[in-house]
Amino acid sequence: DGLTGSQVSYEKAIRDSAALFATIETELGVVQSKVARVKDWIEMQRSVFTSHDYGNSLAATVALEDNYALFLKQLELQQALPQKLNEKLSVDFYDLHELFDPTTEAVEGLVTDLEELVEQGKRYDNGIKLSAEEYEKLSLLIEPEQWAEALESVFDRGDLGATIADVTTRLRQFDENYKQKLTGYLELVNSMSTLATISTQSPHHRTSVVSCLDKVNGVIMQLASLQSKAMAYETALLQRQEVLQELVESINEFNQMAAEFDVMVDTLDEELSSPLLADSMEDVDTAIATFDEDTRAAMNDITEKYTAIDSIARGLIDSEEPLAQEAFARYDLATLYGRWQVIDTRTDEREMELKAEDNGYWAREQMKEQLRVEFAEKATELKQYIADKSEQVANLTGKLDDQVETMAALKAEYDASEMLTSIEPVSAGLEERGVLTNPHTPENLFTLTASWEALSKVYASASASLQEQVMAEKGRQISPEQMAEIIEVFEFFDSDGSGTLNVTEFWSCCTGIGLVLSEEEAQETFNSLDTSGDNMISIDEFSVWMADRLTQPSHTEEDVGESFHVLNEWPVEYPARTEQKMTVNQARLETCFFDKEARDYVIEVMSKDPACTAPPLPPAANAQEGDEGAEAGEDGPAEEIDPAMIAATAGPEYMIAPFVSTLFSR
């Protein structure tokens, strides 16, 4: 049994060892496979580095630099692999396998190969950079090459310019574009030539070196040819400048004199175009004298200037130079002559207009003067009238009634006066003729209208003051604010603006101030106020009546209740008092109340007070008295309802008596 157990243990150990060696062999195989892949990558990179392909253009060198940057990133990954593989090989029992030593040597060789590859890469990258520098040098030659080609084209054309300005511009451009740039370009090309020669001695076999040297030599020959042509071009320009100088002086003289001629004509034309205005006949005489002394002299100067211009222009017309004909680009001789003819004719016409005896300027100004004098006389009369009436109002004396009558007479006279309206056509005539000032008066229609309206305000203020005194004398103590309110009410209901109230306007006024009257009562009250017997109520009569209402004792509870009964039938003729309704509907309140705030207050209180809410009864039931009538309406047989009666009770019905009782209990 002991021997059998030992044999089993031995067999198990053999199997475990075989499994371990199989695992180690697999792992070593994996390491060798990774080493092989890295070696393949190294060989691929070596083939690139030893190809001497440093790019055939600047763009190609940029692409190669990008590839090299990618190589460096890959290199970091590959350089980290040997350390990882060594860590893997350091596991126990790996050294017992026969493949361990060759695998370890392969990993160590991989490190050496990577180090050599790094050095090769640096040399390759240096070659790329040198090629990039060469191609950048070639790019620097593009500018001088294109510059030389452009200038050579200019020199070959031989365009020296048709005008002195053209020649001057070309000389300036020759200095700026050739002389100032030539030295810099020569220095650049010579420097490039030296660098290219040095580059040929480099160990790198780069195609860029040969290309750069050939390009530099070509540009040097191009610049030498350009310098020869530039000298000939500059000499021709200077000769052309001398030829055109005299012609330019003649052209400048022509244009200067033409410009002066233009200004002289424009100035005189503006003077002749200005309207002939005057504030007096003395201004007319001054205008005629100014024409004889100044305008005619200005026309003579224009004629002399044109004669000199014509002489210079004839010489330019005979010249064969194209520049001479361009002298007339702005000022054409025929146009100048046409302007001279027009201004000469206009000067003669203005003289005729000024000196005509039967019509024209003198006659028009004579009519304006008459209108100015007439306006001044009427304005003086109106201002004196206003001053006199204002003084009369300020000095009113005597009894108050007499003063009131005087004020009424003054107001009537004011309303009937046509003093202001008679001035309006005179003012319109002056405005149509363009008269803006009047030496005979400082007034105008606006100031006169303001003064006339101010007189009306004086009358109104005086009338109000007298009414306050009348009220005070009669024992009616009302405030100025109340008096102003009385006048405002009167004017509001004076619908035709007559200054009085007829019976219809008075009836509307009573309703508007909350006094509900029947037609007979309104007529009776109207007759009692019409003390003058003219069937009209004046402001004085109305003021006395309103003052009585404002100062009399407050209404009683019975008065308010009676007002609701009157309101129920207004404006229909009163029925017998036995037929008074005990309710009022909302439609009647909204129709008959003039004061919105009072109306809204009554409706709000009635609608919220349960005691004021009337049951929905037929109109005939309202003829019964109090609660008994209401009960009879509820218990009794239904009566036939008349549509007209339903219309009269449109809207909610409110009990009158509870509202009045509640109102006075407050």
Side-chain angles (χ1 to χ4, degrees):
D1 292 337
L3 181 60
T4 301
S6 298
Q7 184 179 357
V8 171
S9 298
Y10 175 75
E11 290 176 354
K12 181 178 182 302
I14 292 298
R15 287 195 298 273
D16 291 343
S17 297
L20 175 61
F21 269 77
T23 301
I24 293 174
E25 185 175 352
T26 301
E27 292 295 332
L28 290 175
V30 171
V31 171
Q32 290 177 347
S33 175
K34 290 182 179 180
V35 170
R37 285 199 300 271
V38 174
K39 284 185 174 291
D40 292 341
W41 177 81
I42 291 173
E43 289 302 322
M44 182 184 66
Q45 294 298 329
R46 280 177 179 170
S47 66
V48 172
F49 296 158
T50 58
S51 66
H52 301 293
D53 180 13
Y54 302 108
N56 57 4
S57 66
L58 184 61
T61 60
V62 173
L64 291 175
E65 282 288 353
D66 292 340
N67 291 339
Y68 184 74
L70 179 60
F71 159 75
L72 292 178
K73 291 181 179 180
Q74 293 174 345
L75 181 63
E76 291 180 3
L77 298 175
Q78 305 297 356
Q79 287 176 329
L81 182 62
Q83 182 179 354
K84 293 180 179 179
L85 295 178
N86 285 328
E87 291 176 357
K88 196 174 197 61
L89 294 174
S90 64
V91 178
D92 292 340
F93 305 118
Y94 271 46
D95 55 347
L96 299 178
H97 201 284
E98 62 180 0
L99 296 178
F100 176 78
D101 290 336
T103 301
T104 303
E105 292 175 359
V107 172
E108 292 175 354
L110 184 63
V111 173
T112 302
D113 291 342
L114 287 172
E115 291 174 351
E116 292 176 355
L117 184 64
V118 168
E119 295 301 321
Q120 290 177 333
K122 290 180 179 179
R123 290 192 295 271
Y124 178 73
D125 183 56
N126 185 51
I128 295 174
K129 287 182 168 59
L130 290 175
S131 291
E133 291 177 2
E134 299 294 340
Y135 288 119
E136 285 179 358
K137 293 174 185 178
L138 287 176
S139 67
L140 293 176
L141 291 175
I142 294 175
E143 182 178 345
E145 183 180 24
Q146 293 178 346
W147 168 80
E149 290 175 355
L151 286 183
E152 190 172 6
S153 175
V154 172
F155 298 158
D156 290 341
R157 285 201 307 270
D159 182 8
L160 303 178
T163 66
I164 188 64
D166 293 340
V167 175
T168 302
T169 300
R170 282 164 174 72
L171 284 170
R172 175 178 55 79
Q173 292 174 343
F174 181 82
D175 182 69
E176 294 176 353
N177 298 334
Y178 174 74
K179 288 184 176 181
Q180 296 180 17
K181 294 183 179 181
L182 177 63
T183 302
Y185 286 144
L186 287 174
E187 292 177 354
L188 172 64
V189 172
N190 291 331
S191 174
M192 293 286 293
S193 177
T194 302
L195 293 174
T197 302
I198 295 174
S199 296
T200 58
Q201 303 170 6
S202 172
H204 300 282
H205 303 288
R206 301 190 310 278
T207 58
S208 59
V209 175
V210 178
S211 299
C212 185
L213 186 59
D214 292 342
K215 191 67 173 180
V216 169
N217 292 332
V219 174
I220 289 175
M221 295 177 62
Q222 188 178 17
L223 292 179
S225 174
L226 181 67
Q227 292 179 71
S228 176
K229 293 182 179 181
M231 291 178 62
Y233 180 74
E234 183 180 21
T235 301
L237 281 176
L238 293 173
Q239 292 175 349
R240 179 64 174 167
Q241 187 179 41
E242 293 176 1
V243 171
L244 295 177
Q245 188 64 46
E246 293 182 1
L247 183 60
V248 168
E249 292 176 358
S250 296
I251 293 173
N252 289 340
E253 185 179 6
F254 169 80
N255 281 281
Q256 181 178 354
M257 294 184 69
E260 294 172 354
F261 173 84
D262 241 8
V263 172
M264 294 169 67
V265 172
D266 288 341
T267 302
L268 184 56
D269 181 67
E270 183 178 358
E271 178 184 339
L272 297 176
S273 299
S274 60
L276 295 171
L277 302 176
D279 293 333
S280 65
M281 294 307 295
E282 288 78 6
D283 293 343
V284 177
D285 296 335
T286 301
I288 295 175
T290 301
F291 177 86
D292 292 337
E293 297 174 4
D294 300 334
T295 307
R296 181 55 68 182
M299 185 62 226
N300 293 336
D301 292 340
I302 290 174
T303 301
E304 293 178 3
K305 180 68 71 174
Y306 176 76
T307 302
I309 291 172
D310 183 75
S311 176
I312 298 174
R314 296 301 172 186
L316 292 173
I317 291 173
D318 295 338
S319 175
E320 296 180 357
E321 282 287 345
L323 178 62
Q325 303 308 314
E326 293 180 6
F328 305 107
R330 181 177 180 185
Y331 297 105
D332 179 71
L333 186 61
T335 303
L336 295 175
Y337 177 71
R339 294 207 69 191
W340 176 83
Q341 282 187 313
V342 170
I343 200 67
D344 185 59
T345 302
R346 292 196 60 195
T347 303
D348 293 340
E349 291 174 351
R350 174 54 67 95
E351 185 173 18
M352 291 291 296
E353 182 181 7
L354 282 170
K355 298 179 180 181
E357 296 181 357
D358 54 345
N359 57 15
Y361 181 54
W362 189 92
R364 293 196 303 272
E365 293 305 320
Q366 184 64 27
M367 174 59 70
K368 292 179 183 178
E369 181 65 13
Q370 293 175 1
L371 288 173
R372 283 192 288 262
V373 171
E374 182 181 359
F375 182 88
E377 292 174 351
K378 289 181 175 293
T380 301
E381 181 183 358
L382 179 66
K383 293 291 289 186
Q384 186 60 49
Y385 175 84
I386 293 173
D388 293 343
K389 297 305 177 183
S390 298
E391 182 178 2
Q392 184 177 352
V393 171
N395 296 326
L396 284 176
T397 58
K399 296 180 179 180
L400 286 178
D401 292 341
D402 295 339
Q403 294 183 39
V404 170
E405 291 180 4
T406 301
M407 279 304 307
L410 289 174
K411 185 63 169 63
E413 180 183 338
Y414 173 88
D415 293 337
S417 176
E418 297 182 356
M419 294 183 69
L420 182 62
T421 56
S422 67
I423 298 177
E424 292 175 353
V426 181
S427 176
L430 291 172
E431 185 176 353
E432 290 175 1
R433 291 166 175 80
V435 178
L436 302 178
T437 60
N438 191 339
H440 306 295
T441 178
E443 303 293 341
N444 56 49
L445 184 61
F446 298 106
T447 60
L448 293 176
T449 301
S451 299
W452 187 252
E453 293 174 352
L455 179 60
S456 175
K457 294 179 180 179
V458 169
Y459 286 165
S461 176
S463 296
S465 177
L466 288 173
Q467 289 300 325
E468 291 177 9
Q469 295 178 52
V470 170
M471 296 299 104
E473 185 177 89
K474 294 182 178 182
R476 301 178 180 89
Q477 301 298 326
I478 62 174
S479 65
E481 291 78 10
Q482 290 175 314
M483 189 65 209
E485 184 179 355
I486 291 173
I487 295 174
E488 182 181 359
V489 171
F490 182 87
E491 292 177 348
F492 179 82
F493 288 99
D494 180 15
S495 57
D496 57 2
S498 62
T500 58
L501 298 180
N502 58 33
V503 65
T504 302
E505 292 171 337
F506 176 72
W507 194 11
S508 299
C509 177
C510 291
T511 304
I513 63 176
L515 178 61
V516 183
L517 301 176
S518 66
E519 184 176 2
E520 290 80 0
E521 288 175 330
Q523 183 66 58
E524 181 180 351
T525 305
F526 180 86
N527 293 338
S528 66
L529 298 180
D530 182 19
T531 57
S532 60
D534 58 356
N535 286 325
M536 293 290 179
I537 295 180
S538 66
I539 181 62
D540 298 333
E541 296 166 336
F542 183 78
S543 299
V544 172
W545 179 67
M546 281 295 294
D548 287 338
R549 289 191 56 78
L550 292 173
T551 56
Q552 71 183 5
S554 302
H555 293 289
T556 64
E557 185 173 348
E558 290 74 13
D559 294 333
V560 176
E562 179 65 18
S563 297
F564 273 103
H565 295 312
V566 172
L567 181 145
N568 254 326
E569 305 302 332
W570 182 86
V572 184
E573 182 178 354
Y574 274 99
R577 293 305 184 189
T578 56
E579 300 179 8
Q580 291 177 352
K581 293 175 61 178
M582 295 296 103
T583 62
V584 62
N585 60 56
Q586 184 166 319
R588 175 67 64 173
L589 294 174
E590 292 176 348
T591 302
C592 299
F593 263 88
F594 179 78
D595 189 324
K596 181 179 182 302
E597 292 184 359
R599 178 193 67 203
D600 293 344
Y601 170 76
V602 171
I603 293 175
E604 180 181 3
V605 173
M606 282 188 166
S607 62
K608 292 182 178 180
D609 189 352
C612 296
T613 303
L617 301 177
N622 284 329
Q624 301 298 325
E625 295 290 341
D627 296 337
E628 295 178 359
E631 294 174 359
E634 293 175 354
D635 300 333
E639 298 180 1
E640 183 177 353
I641 301 175
D642 188 289
M645 297 296 288
I646 295 176
T649 59
E653 288 281 340
Y654 303 113
M655 300 296 296
I656 296 174
F659 170 75
V660 174
S661 176
T662 301
L663 181 66
F664 277 86
S665 67
R666 294 179 180 177

